[in-house]
Amino acid sequence: MDHCLLLQLLYRKLKCPITLRLIRKWLRAPILINGKLTQRKKGVPQGSPLSPLLSNIMLHELDKELEKQGLKYVRYADDFSIYAKNKSTARKTGNAVFLFLKNKLKLPINREKSGLRKPVQFEILGHKFVPTYEKGTKGKYQLVVSDRSWKNLKQNLKTITRKTTPASIAERIARLKEVGKGWVNYFRMASIHGKLKDLDSWVRNRLRYCIWHNWKKLERKRKNLIRLGVDHRHAYQWSRTRKGGWAVAQSPILITTITLERLRKRGYEPMLEHYLKVSPQLNEPLYTRPVRTVV
């Protein structure tokens, strides 16, 4: 990133000489290379909250250029993608953007990460595209969540609902609500109805497994099953079962006793229910609904 160009862009909006002087000193802070301090002439020091802010200020010029040309694009910091209807238009747009970044903003482009791709061949910000698989909709795609994002979410939920984690059921449910709402709010634009339904069922079984593990002793299990409405004969049989904890959590022993309604009373909210509340394509009127497909 060219320091002179960046400071010129800052000066358009920021007239305070003291602030500009501090930013200039910060940009020119020396960098340690092979044990020696070297003067920095280009680039921005990494690891500071000021770094992405300055990147956004620089690339705001790119945003204005793309909007001027009427292009559809998505940008987050220095990661962006531009959408075109056909390959020739995409190639022409890519060359124009490359020249704009090189000549006007003096920014290099990573050729390995850049290129022309079909919607199903790339991911951005945890999202990807898949075909709609509907009759008469050839060449259209829907937005979904990438496999890596699903894997990271499941790993976080698995950590929260691990039976050996030292936490009460109330603490686990509060943490699940926090993580689930944040994740769903971020991916609310994607089509994730079916996967969320399966994931919620898996999380509830994990919670039942934690509860069964916390009861520990056989007599305590019997008494708690009776409190949940099981008759004495079945409570005795189920408390002495030889099934493992995970098998019990998925069996009628706990599914019919620790029901979804009982978990709701403890504060549990399925991620699917929150998704149905915040998903734009499910809550906006048709005439205000934005297009969710890439052609």
Side-chain angles (χ1 to χ4, degrees):
M1 186 181 296
D2 188 85
H3 292 174
C4 293
L5 180 57
L6 177 59
L7 291 172
Q8 289 176 8
L9 295 175
L10 286 171
Y11 185 72
R12 294 179 185 178
K13 298 290 184 180
L14 187 63
K15 303 298 183 182
C16 178
I18 299 176
T19 304
L20 289 172
R21 189 180 302 115
L22 289 173
I23 293 176
R24 186 184 300 110
K25 288 184 177 181
W26 180 77
L27 288 172
R28 294 179 179 175
I31 184 173
L32 189 65
I33 301 178
N34 296 328
K36 296 182 180 181
L37 290 176
T38 306
Q39 188 69 29
R40 189 193 303 269
K41 297 181 180 180
K42 291 184 178 180
V44 177
Q46 300 299 308
S48 167
L50 189 59
S51 176
L53 176 61
L54 295 178
S55 298
N56 279 328
I57 291 174
M58 176 69 80
L59 290 175
H60 181 62
E61 301 300 312
L62 175 63
D63 295 344
K64 293 192 292 185
E65 180 66 20
L66 295 177
E67 291 173 1
K68 181 180 177 181
Q69 298 180 18
L71 297 171
K72 304 296 183 182
Y73 69 96
V74 173
R75 184 180 71 81
Y76 183 83
D78 60 348
D79 190 8
F80 65 92
S81 60
I82 306 171
Y83 305 95
K85 290 186 177 181
N86 51 63
K87 190 173 182 179
S88 60
T89 305
R91 183 178 289 107
K92 181 180 178 181
T93 301
N95 292 333
V97 171
F98 174 79
L99 293 175
F100 179 83
L101 292 174
K102 181 180 178 182
N103 299 330
K104 294 294 182 67
L105 300 183
K106 300 179 181 179
L107 293 173
I109 294 182
N110 189 336
R111 286 293 190 177
E112 295 181 358
K113 296 183 179 179
S114 305
L116 304 180
R117 297 182 180 89
K118 294 182 179 180
V120 295
Q121 296 176 342
F122 80 102
E123 298 178 3
I124 181 169
L125 304 177
H127 296 78
K128 67 177 184 178
F129 293 97
V130 295
T132 55
Y133 297 112
E134 293 181 5
K135 187 176 181 180
T137 58
K138 184 178 180 180
K140 294 186 178 181
Y141 303 85
Q142 60 180 339
L143 189 66
V144 297
V145 177
S146 67
D147 296 336
R148 182 184 299 178
S149 299
W150 281 114
K151 184 178 179 180
N152 292 338
L153 172 63
K154 194 166 185 179
Q155 185 60 43
N156 289 337
L157 299 178
K158 195 172 184 178
T159 302
I160 297 170
T161 56
R162 186 177 290 124
K163 67 176 184 178
T164 55
T165 300
S168 64
I169 296 300
E171 292 172 341
R172 295 177 194 272
I173 290 176
R175 181 61 180 155
L176 285 173
K177 184 182 293 187
E178 180 183 345
V179 172
K181 282 189 174 182
W183 193 89
V184 169
N185 286 339
Y186 181 79
F187 290 106
R188 65 185 182 277
M189 307 285 285
S191 299
I192 52 178
H193 186 283
K195 284 193 173 183
L196 277 185
K197 184 177 180 181
D198 295 337
L199 190 63
D200 281 333
S201 177
W202 177 77
V203 169
R204 286 194 292 272
N205 286 335
R206 298 273 301 180
L207 284 175
R208 294 183 180 110
Y209 186 18
C210 292
I211 294 172
W212 183 258
H213 180 263
N214 289 342
W215 287 349
K216 296 183 182 299
K217 296 182 179 180
L218 301 180
E219 190 60 21
R220 185 183 300 172
K221 292 177 181 179
R222 185 186 70 84
K223 291 181 179 179
N224 286 331
L225 288 173
I226 292 173
R227 292 191 187 101
L228 292 173
V230 180
D231 61 84
H232 289 264
R233 184 172 64 87
H234 282 95
Y236 182 85
Q237 293 176 353
W238 290 354
S239 64
R240 268 70 178 175
T241 180
R242 293 187 177 183
K243 291 182 178 180
W246 181 240
V248 172
Q250 301 175 83
S251 71
I253 296 176
L254 293 186
I255 291 179
T256 58
T257 53
I258 306 176
T259 61
L260 176 58
E261 292 303 321
R262 284 196 166 103
L263 290 174
R264 278 201 180 100
K265 292 179 181 179
R266 301 288 297 270
Y268 171 75
E269 181 184 5
M271 287 187 290
L272 178 59
E273 289 186 2
H274 185 66
Y275 172 72
L276 296 176
K277 294 177 184 176
V278 301
S279 178
Q281 60 263 37
L282 299 176
N283 293 288
E284 294 179 0
L286 289 175
Y287 53 83
T288 62
R289 186 177 300 172
V291 178
R292 305 296 179 196
T293 58
V294 179
V295 182

